[in-house]
């Protein structure tokens, strides 16, 4: 098996990151001998990924808890909005995920079987600026949600809030109010996760900002406080910046571990794991602890979970042999059945060239019908084989490196001619207008073309390159100085697309289709 990224060193130890992939704001629980992880999904659909592991090191993506975002505006990509910072819990033999949507409120989804279909989302508390929600069911049967606030929506940050909710977890039953003020000592505190141990209520939360912050623990004998505070992990002398938001879990023998993310720019927020010990009723996360504050580790002995798993790697290649989309894929916004077919031509992904944005000059940034996948290793080669005979006038199909800046190569039908184009967009400069350059015109009988992206190690930053090839030609480089980038809280992604590239007031619904035969991703050392 080809491992794109392997954290298991197969000698009783593991290396960080566990997952070199953008699973922002992770949370994790153990139920029996299985660990379940979820993460933010923002505007990408399906949302709320479910990953499982038996040994905390080797993870598999197995499901999503959210089929779509049930607001019509998400039919157009709403970048930096959507599903933020979930918390997953198991209560009364049922799985729950709570998440904030900063413009709508705090929601909950639940399921008896986390690998099956989850129930429809329930709006627990409506309101702007309510984010990073974590439920807690106390021993006396009372239930609460502790959460953060988004300054961009509500005008302030660095506070944590609390409100009581019904025992079934479906509705707030009291007013939201401030629980903790971190303005002076824990600025930008957010992402709270709530636990109870030895009579104390604990809130583990990052503070100080995503790129340079630290992990804080709050504790109190009363869930409403007042809370003592202590910094329990920071970057120290390591190269692991942040280290940011995550969740605490344990093993069957009582050992505890903390899974969190590290912001890696264009790669997004990748997943790390640290050992946890307790001193004087405070958790200490990481290694090389001084005064009860640890540092993140790069390598450590594997957790003793009582279960051994074979090394695994997240998938990125796809031959489109299934009648369902592989779990690696997420749409840029809410999808429709009209976007694609995996059965119209067996063994191919057919994408229909549509303009779901309805705009006269559609751009990919505003098109829900872009199919994306996370980067899962630092350096790679990704190649897709694209069949183009189904495209019609103003239709185009290709491969994109999506992000705050994005670039793509595509075949576009211009005046009846199959035309190879290169296009890029820079949000900071042009308000996401695409600048398109014609590379060459293809022969009328050209049926398929290969597109390749590579990310290679550079002296200061990764080097991104683009290529195309035809059956009768060698691979040809497309000259570009494009550098992939993240956008707000989402890393760059590889994408496949077909869309209608229209002029003026032409709103033609369909401009043909394109068939993707496969995509193959391999790691570059």
């Amino acid at each position: 098996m080809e491992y794109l990224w392997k954290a298991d060193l197969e000698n009783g130890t593991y290396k960080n990151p566990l997952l070199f992939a953008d699973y922002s704001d992770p949370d994790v629980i153990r139920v029996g001998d299985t660990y379940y992880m979820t993460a933010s999904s923002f505007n990408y659909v399906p949302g709320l990924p479910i990953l499982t592991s038996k040994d905390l090191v080797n993870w598999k993506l197995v499901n999503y808890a959210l089929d779509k975002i049930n607001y019509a505006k998400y039919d157009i990509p709403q970048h930096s909005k959507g599903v933020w910072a979930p918390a997953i819990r198991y209560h009364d033999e049922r799985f729950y995920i709570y998440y904030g949507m900063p413009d709508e409120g705090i929601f909950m989804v639940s399921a008896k079987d986390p690998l099956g279909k989850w129930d429809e989302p329930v709006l627990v508390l409506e309101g702007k600026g309510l984010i990073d929600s974590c439920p807690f069911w106390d021993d006396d049967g009372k239930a609460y949600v502790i959460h953060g606030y988004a300054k961009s929506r509500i005008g302030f940050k660095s506070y944590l809030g609390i409100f009581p909710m019904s025992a079934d977890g479906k509705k707030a039953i009291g007013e939201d109010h401030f629980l903790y003020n971190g303005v002076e000592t824990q600025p930008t505190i957010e992402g709270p996760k709530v636990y109870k141990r030895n009579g104390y209520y604990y809130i583990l939360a990052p503070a100080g900002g995503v790129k340079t912050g630290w992990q804080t623990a709050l504790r109190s004998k009363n869930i409403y406080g007042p809370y003592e505070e202590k910094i329990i992990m920071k970057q120290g002398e390591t190269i692991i910046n942040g280290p940011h938001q995550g969740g605490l879990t344990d093993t069957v023998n009582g050992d505890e571990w903390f899974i969190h993310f590290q912001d890696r720019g264009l790669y997004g927020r990748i997943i790390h794991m640290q050992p946890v010990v307790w001193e004087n009723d405070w958790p200490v996360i990481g290694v090389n602890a001084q005064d009860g504050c640890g540092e993140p580790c790069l390598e450590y002995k594997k957790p003793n979970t009582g279960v051994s798993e074979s090394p695994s790697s997240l998938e990125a290649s796809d031959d489109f042999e299934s009648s369902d989309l592989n779990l690696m894929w997420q749409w840029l916004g809410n999808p429709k059945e009209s976007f694609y077919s995996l059965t119209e031509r067996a063994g191919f992904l057919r994408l229909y060239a549509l303009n779901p944005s309805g705009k006269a000059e559609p751009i990919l940034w505003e098109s829900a019908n872009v199919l994306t996948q996370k980067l899962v290793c630092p350096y790679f080669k990704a190649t897709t084989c694209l069949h183009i005979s189904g495209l019609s006038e103003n239709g185009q199909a290709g491969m994109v490196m999506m992000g705050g800046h994005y670039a793509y190569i595509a075949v576009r039908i211009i005046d009846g001619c199959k035309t190879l184009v290169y296009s890029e967009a820079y949000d900071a400069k042009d308000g996401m207008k695409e600048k398109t350059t014609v590379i060459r015109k293809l022969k009328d009988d050209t049926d398929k073309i290969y597109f390749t992206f590579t990310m290679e190690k550079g002296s200061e930053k990764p080097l991104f390159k683009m290529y195309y090839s035809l059956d009768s030609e060698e691979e040809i480089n497309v000259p570009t100085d494009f550098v992939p980038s993240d956008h707000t809280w989402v890393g760059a992604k590889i994408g496949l697309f077909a869309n209608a590239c229209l002029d003026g007031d032409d709103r033609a619904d369909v401009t043909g289709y394109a068939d993707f035969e496969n995509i193959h991703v391999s790691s570059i050392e």
Side-chain angles (χ1 to χ4, degrees), residues 104-107 123-127 130 147 163 171-172 174 176:
E104 291 85 13
I106 290 173
F107 294 79
L123 179 57
V124 179
L125 179 62
E126 187 174 6
L130 306 177
H147 64 92
F163 61 84
K171 204 69 181 174
D176 178 49

Side-chain angles (χ1 to χ4, degrees), residues 368-388:
N369 60 333
V370 179
L371 196 57
T372 70
Q373 62 164 284
K374 302 177 190 297
L375 309 183
V376 298
C377 61
Y379 310 115
F380 59 85
K381 177 179 181 180
T383 299
T384 188
C385 178
L386 170 61
H387 292 238
I388 56 177

Side-chain angles (χ1 to χ4, degrees), residues 20-250:
F20 203 107
D22 185 19
Y23 285 102
S24 179
D25 313 311
D27 192 29
V28 61
I29 58 170
R30 178 177 65 86
V31 179
D33 66 353
T34 304
Y35 295 89
Y36 299 87
M37 186 195 303
T38 190
S40 296
S41 48
F42 302 102
N43 55 285
Y44 289 82
V45 180
L48 292 174
I50 306 295
L51 298 94
T52 61
S53 176
K54 297 286 189 180
D55 64 2
L56 278 171
V57 172
N58 297 289
W59 290 88
K60 298 179 180 68
L61 176 61
V62 296
N63 199 12
Y64 290 92
L66 200 62
D67 291 335
K68 64 177 182 177
I69 302 175
N70 291 328
Y71 289 85
K73 70 179 184 180
Y74 288 92
D75 292 350
I76 305 297
Q78 303 293 315
H79 298 279
S80 78
K81 300 180 181 182
V83 178
W84 286 22
I88 184 170
R89 291 294 181 266
Y90 185 70
H91 174 69
D92 281 350
E93 299 185 346
R94 193 168 186 85
F95 290 82
Y96 294 83
I97 298 177
Y98 284 70
Y99 58 97
M101 292 178 58
D103 299 291
E104 291 85 13
I106 290 173
F107 294 79
M108 177 271 286
V109 290
S110 69
K112 192 78 171 175
D113 176 10
L115 306 188
K117 184 168 176 58
W118 289 62
D119 291 347
E120 287 295 306
V122 174
L123 179 57
V124 179
L125 179 62
E126 187 174 6
K128 276 185 174 290
L130 306 177
I131 58 169
D132 300 5
S133 49
C134 181
F136 181 76
W137 285 269
D138 210 343
D139 302 329
D140 60 4
K142 294 181 179 179
Y144 309 87
V145 171
I146 292 176
H147 64 92
Y149 298 94
K151 183 179 180 180
S152 60
R153 294 350 190 252
I154 207 169
F156 60 84
K157 63 177 181 177
S158 303
Y159 288 82
L160 299 180
I162 187 172
F163 61 84
M165 68 174 177
S166 55
D168 63 7
K170 293 182 177 181
K171 204 69 181 174
I173 56 173
E175 292 295 319
D176 178 49
H177 66 270
F178 291 152
L179 176 68
Y180 172 79
N181 177 354
V183 171
E184 295 296 330
T185 59
Q186 305 297 328
T188 320
I189 194 166
E190 57 186 336
K193 298 296 186 294
V194 189
Y195 309 92
K196 192 174 185 181
R197 176 189 172 107
N198 290 344
Y200 283 104
Y201 297 90
Y202 290 90
I203 300 173
L204 301 189
V210 170
K211 295 185 182 296
T212 58
W214 55 85
Q215 290 293 330
T216 294
L218 310 176
R219 76 176 186 186
S220 175
K221 290 286 188 177
N222 187 311
I223 195 166
Y224 285 104
Y227 280 87
E228 304 172 80
E229 63 184 54
K230 185 172 179 21
I231 295 176
I232 56 174
M233 181 173 62
K234 57 186 178 181
Q235 178 175 353
E237 300 301 318
T238 75
I239 61 172
I240 301 172
N241 63 291
H244 213 73
Q245 186 170 333
L248 184 70
T249 192
D250 65 0

Side-chain angles (χ1 to χ4, degrees), residues 261-409:
F261 79 76
Q262 173 201 20
D263 188 304
R264 287 290 297 269
L266 75 90
Y267 294 106
R269 297 168 166 189
I270 63 177
I271 303 300
H272 290 243
M273 181 171 68
Q274 312 299 334
V276 179
V277 296
W278 289 80
E279 296 178 357
N280 303 316
D281 283 324
W282 286 104
V284 182
I285 300 178
V287 297
N288 302 327
Q290 296 184 15
D291 298 323
C293 179
E295 297 179 345
C297 63
L298 284 174
E299 292 187 14
Y300 204 76
K301 64 181 180 182
K302 287 180 61 176
N304 179 13
T305 65
V307 181
S308 178
E309 279 204 302
S310 299
S312 63
S313 174
L314 293 174
E315 294 183 14
S317 299
D318 197 343
D319 289 329
F320 302 118
E321 296 293 340
S322 173
S323 59
D324 297 313
L325 274 175
N326 190 304
L327 292 173
M328 72 181 75
W329 298 108
Q330 291 176 290
W331 299 96
L332 209 55
N334 281 337
K336 298 179 180 179
E337 290 184 3
S338 59
F339 286 1
Y340 77 106
S341 173
L342 285 160
T343 57
E344 192 73 20
R345 184 180 179 186
F348 288 79
L349 167 68
R350 175 163 292 182
L351 295 182
Y352 296 97
L354 309 173
N355 175 23
S357 73
K359 295 191 174 182
E361 296 182 14
I363 62 172
L364 295 193
W365 189 247
E366 298 172 343
S367 299
N369 60 333
V370 179
L371 196 57
T372 70
Q373 62 164 284
K374 302 177 190 297
L375 309 183
V376 298
C377 61
Y379 310 115
F380 59 85
K381 177 179 181 180
T383 299
T384 188
C385 178
L386 170 61
H387 292 238
I388 56 177
S389 294
L391 290 172
S392 52
E393 187 67 25
N394 292 322
Q396 69 170 3
M399 189 175 182
V400 61
M401 181 60 75
M402 181 58 69
H405 311 318
Y406 67 89
Y408 65 80
I409 44 179

